[in-house]
Amino acid sequence: MAFPFINSIISWFLKKRKHQIELFLKYPDDVQQELLKRLVETAKNTELGKQLDFSSINNYTDFADAVPIQKYESIEPLIERCRKGEQNLFWPTNIRWFAKSSGTTNAKSKYIPVSDEALENCHLKAGKDMLCLYINNNEETKMFTGKGLKLGGSTAIYEDNNTYFGDLSAIITENLPFWADYSSAPSQEVALMGEWETKMEAIIDETIHENITSLIGVPSWMLVLLNRVLEKTGKDNILEVWPNLEVYFHGGVNFNPYREQYKKLIPKADFKYFETYNASEGFFGIQDRNNSEELLLMLDYGIFYEFIPMDSYDEENSVAIPLSEVKKGINYAIVITTNGGLWRYLIGDTVKFTSTKPYRIKITGRTKHFINVFGEELIIENAEEALKQACKKTDASILDYTVGPIFMSENQKGGHEWIIEFNKKPSNIAYFTELLDNALKAINSDYEAKRYNNMTLGMPTIHVAEDGLFYAWLSAKGKLGGQHKIPRLSNKRDFVEELLKL
């Protein structure tokens, strides 16, 4: 049993971290400002630091004046030089690792630099904090009597010019501390497999006879794995396979559309769900309380945060504000400066603050994942809440979906076209559509105004997808795996039209 050894490590770490976490809870703005000074000082002699005169930066105002807000396209030339072996370009220590990310709106791969500092003091540190915060809320846990099943991305690590790239999950797997092997499954060899279908089968073969006590992974892909486990074992629910399962750590996509399916797969009244918020660029938030839908913004991972109100968002021309100036209930785009060498970088995510003492957030969507063709300003948060309400009233459940606009023409009113793959279909799709439309009106006043008397927007059009449609679509694009996501909302029809042709 791994429990006594691992539990002693976690207990020690929890005590060590308690003071540090209390520090940023009590003095969040001071911690962030001190961090900014440290990042600027560390990078002042890099090529970028000299170009932007980091030596003259004394405070946040100086920083915001000197350093422009940037998207990936702006920094790609420097990253490509680094990937070819040049160093000290935007961060002083050698960068060997690059997290390959295709994103969700752009087919072109991005290579996010992962410095040793970002790996150790952000990604790996956050993984430990996730466990520590869970234990702090659940002192009677028996999680470490067994193993955690981790479902990461599908890409192996590749070498190029003495640098390495792959999914972030693969990079983390390569750099896990030795004790992690005692407490997690599958084996490193299986975890780093590149071919997704083969990897799935290998994970199942390796774990169905293990004592799995926790799950870690993206909800959509974990759902595929769990359903295959039931198919292979002939069991009715996951607890018949892993009776000591007690918690699922999830992130990457909104969990609400999947919640009811997980409750059926894991019929345990006191089963715990803990959300995390991480990306290739950094680890940002962790659910720090049982049964909460909020995430504690982690302020000591080497990430300095800024925020852009979405009502004035203009990509790289936007005006950002520091953490100390945010307000509850406003939709913000996130800007980060990191110990991986990203400077005022737009990650493309949006959040709302639910609390400022301490700083807790909810993820609301993406800066590019919205529909605003007719002034309706529909964001993912709206869509998923409306789907949740419609499913509840029709006893339906959803596996995947995407939405695109129907553009106005001489004979065509504007509207939204939905493709939904149901896990459990509603008996009456017209009634489901009406419920969805009414929920969107109640949630989003801009949508309601555009729907008034069908003047601008017509009733939503819903296509019920054949089983496996989204899986087949991702497979055709070579994007099967734990870190690839279905694009939910788009101002263009590309995704909808591709799916309708399958």
Side-chain angles (χ1 to χ4, degrees), residues 93-259:
T93 60
N94 284 356
I95 293 178
R96 300 172 297 141
W97 301 98
F98 292 85
K100 185 180 179 183
S101 169
S102 61
T104 48
T105 58
N106 190 338
K108 185 178 180 180
S109 293
K110 298 177 182 178
Y111 294 89
I112 303 300
V114 182
S115 67
D116 289 346
E117 292 87 346
L119 194 57
E120 186 66 35
N121 298 321
C122 181
H123 295 292
L124 294 178
K125 183 177 180 180
K128 298 169 193 172
D129 279 358
M130 177 186 76
L131 299 177
C132 289
L133 288 169
Y134 176 75
I135 291 173
N136 196 44
N137 283 277
N138 302 279
E139 293 182 359
E140 302 303 313
T141 179
K142 295 182 180 178
M143 181 169 61
F144 296 107
T145 60
K147 293 186 174 184
L149 194 165
K150 298 180 180 178
L151 184 61
S154 61
T155 305
I157 295 293
Y158 300 95
E159 184 178 356
D160 185 24
N161 295 304
N162 294 316
T163 62
Y164 303 86
F165 66 90
D167 282 353
L168 176 66
S169 58
I171 293 172
I172 291 173
T173 298
E174 283 274 8
N175 290 276
L176 284 173
F178 74 94
W179 54 263
D181 289 337
Y182 293 96
S183 60
S184 63
S187 63
Q188 188 177 68
E189 181 183 359
V190 170
L192 292 174
M193 279 184 175
E195 204 284 308
W196 180 250
E197 294 283 356
T198 306
K199 176 177 177 174
M200 280 281 237
E201 295 307 311
I203 290 174
I204 294 169
D205 289 340
E206 233 185 58
T207 59
I208 54 175
H209 301 298
E210 289 276 9
N211 178 26
I212 300 298
T213 54
S214 64
L215 303 173
I216 305 172
V218 176
S220 52
W221 292 108
M222 184 64 75
L223 199 61
V224 173
L225 176 68
L226 297 182
N227 280 315
R228 289 200 183 179
V229 167
L230 294 185
E231 288 174 17
K232 190 150 191 172
T233 60
K235 302 297 186 183
D236 292 327
N237 66 67
I238 291 299
L239 295 176
E240 293 180 7
V241 183
W242 299 313
N244 298 316
L245 194 63
E246 66 171 81
V247 59
Y248 174 29
F249 299 100
H250 62 87
V253 298
N254 189 319
F255 188 59
N256 283 334
Y258 305 98
R259 192 177 298 276

Side-chain angles (χ1 to χ4, degrees), residues 209-414:
H209 301 298
E210 289 276 9
N211 178 26
I212 300 298
T213 54
S214 64
L215 303 173
I216 305 172
V218 176
S220 52
W221 292 108
M222 184 64 75
L223 199 61
V224 173
L225 176 68
L226 297 182
N227 280 315
R228 289 200 183 179
V229 167
L230 294 185
E231 288 174 17
K232 190 150 191 172
T233 60
K235 302 297 186 183
D236 292 327
N237 66 67
I238 291 299
L239 295 176
E240 293 180 7
V241 183
W242 299 313
N244 298 316
L245 194 63
E246 66 171 81
V247 59
Y248 174 29
F249 299 100
H250 62 87
V253 298
N254 189 319
F255 188 59
N256 283 334
Y258 305 98
R259 192 177 298 276
E260 292 306 313
Q261 295 174 66
Y262 274 90
K263 285 181 180 178
K264 291 176 182 176
L265 283 171
I266 310 170
K268 188 176 184 180
D270 60 348
F271 188 77
K272 302 292 192 303
Y273 296 93
F274 262 64
E275 185 176 3
T276 61
Y277 176 23
N278 66 310
S280 298
E281 295 87 352
F283 206 117
F284 311 124
I286 302 174
Q287 180 183 327
D288 65 318
R289 298 178 296 179
N290 286 340
N291 305 313
S292 173
E293 293 187 358
E294 301 169 304
L295 298 167
L296 180 67
L297 191 64
M298 306 302 286
L299 302 180
D300 64 348
Y301 287 173
I303 301 172
F304 178 77
Y305 292 98
E306 297 174 83
F307 300 89
I308 302 169
M310 281 303 291
D311 61 5
S312 61
Y313 181 75
D314 187 19
E315 296 189 324
E316 293 164 295
N317 299 313
S318 304
V319 176
I321 59 174
L323 182 65
S324 59
E325 295 181 20
V326 300
K327 297 178 180 178
K328 292 191 294 183
I330 293 175
N331 204 31
Y332 292 106
I334 305 178
V335 180
I336 59 171
T337 293
T338 77
N339 54 4
L342 298 176
W343 298 92
R344 304 198 82 199
Y345 180 79
L346 277 166
I347 62 172
D349 288 349
T350 59
V351 299
K352 284 183 181 177
F353 283 86
T354 56
S355 166
T356 54
K357 293 182 180 179
Y359 289 102
R360 288 197 176 96
I361 59 173
K362 282 187 178 182
I363 304 164
T364 54
R366 300 277 295 170
T367 54
K368 290 186 178 180
H369 279 209
F370 60 88
I371 300 181
N372 193 30
V373 173
F374 312 103
E376 66 273 45
E377 296 188 17
L378 185 70
I379 62 174
I380 291 178
E381 184 184 37
N382 302 155
E384 298 201 330
E385 177 58 30
L387 285 171
K388 179 181 174 183
Q389 292 182 26
C391 283
K392 187 175 182 180
K393 291 178 181 178
T394 58
D395 193 29
S397 61
I398 288 172
L399 190 61
D400 267 313
Y401 74 93
T402 193
V403 193
I406 299 171
F407 294 109
M408 290 180 178
S409 65
E410 187 176 342
N411 302 311
Q412 176 74 60
K413 195 179 292 291

Side-chain angles (χ1 to χ4, degrees), residues 37-106:
K37 289 180 183 177
R38 197 159 62 245
L39 291 171
V40 169
E41 176 67 23
T42 301
K44 68 181 181 182
N45 291 319
T46 62
E47 182 175 309
L48 186 70
K50 291 176 180 177
Q51 178 187 328
L52 298 178
D53 195 14
F54 279 13
S55 294
S56 68
I57 295 175
N58 297 307
N59 51 45
Y60 172 70
T61 302
D62 291 345
F63 176 70
D65 288 343
V67 183
I69 292 173
Q70 302 174 90
K71 296 192 296 183
Y72 183 80
E73 291 75 14
S74 306
I75 62 174
E76 184 180 21
L78 276 180
I79 289 176
E80 284 304 302
R81 286 172 57 192
C82 189
R83 287 187 64 220
K84 291 176 181 176
E86 290 188 63
Q87 296 292 345
N88 201 38
L89 298 175
F90 43 80
W91 191 250
T93 60
N94 284 356
I95 293 178
R96 300 172 297 141
W97 301 98
F98 292 85
K100 185 180 179 183
S101 169
S102 61
T104 48
T105 58
N106 190 338

